Amino acid sequence: MAVINCPSCKKKISDKAKTCNHCDLNLSELGSDKVASLNRANTINKTQRLMNYSFIAMLLFCGGFLFMFRDNIAPGTWQHNLAMVSAIIGFVMYIIIRAMLLFTKRKAS
Ligand SMILES: [Zn+2]
């Protein structure tokens, strides 16, 4: 028995279930091939979205990092602090998104 995502509401359900217990979608009518292909499409969409997020996180990190080392920004000012916070958030976001991507890909294969 495997856990799949409902093609309609995207919640986790058993692949043996006849109907989704969240939205009452009739899965036996859809057929397992259809459900499998929908799940694959969902995974690709999710991966694509995560890639976009990781790109934003990377920009945040690089932007903050570069701004922090600009000549006219002295340490201790709010601009410097903002740049540092942005770099840290970007870095943490990037790591989390990368881990999520790994997890999504491993689950899909
Ligand atoms: Zn559902």
Side-chain angles (χ1 to χ4, degrees):
M1 193 187 93
V3 173
I4 58 165
N5 294 323
C6 169
S8 172
C9 66
K10 315 278 189 271
K11 286 181 179 136
K12 291 195 186 331
I13 49 167
S14 159
D15 65 342
K16 297 283 184 290
K18 296 274 185 292
T19 57
C20 171
N21 45 12
H22 302 288
C23 68
D24 290 326
L25 177 80
N26 195 328
L27 293 163
S28 52
E29 275 178 9
L30 270 175
S32 57
D33 287 353
K34 189 89 188 293
V35 173
S37 72
L38 279 165
N39 259 293
R40 234 185 335 266
N42 283 347
T43 307
I44 292 165
N45 284 343
K46 198 178 169 191
T47 308
Q48 195 57 52
R49 206 164 50 228
L50 283 171
M51 291 293 263
N52 290 342
Y53 288 152
S54 82
F55 183 68
I56 293 166
M58 195 59 150
L59 278 181
L60 204 63
F61 172 69
C62 290
F65 200 74
L66 288 174
F67 195 73
M68 214 162 75
F69 287 102
R70 266 171 51 167
D71 301 335
N72 54 347
I73 306 292
T77 60
W78 69 268
Q79 289 101 326
H80 188 268
N81 289 341
L82 188 73
M84 201 161 67
V85 166
S86 160
I88 291 166
I89 289 172
F91 182 73
V92 172
M93 261 177 74
Y94 187 77
I95 298 294
I96 291 169
I97 292 161
R98 278 284 143 189
M100 281 169 78
L101 262 173
L102 264 176
F103 185 72
T104 308
K105 276 180 186 157
R106 194 174 303 161
K107 208 169 59 180
S109 57

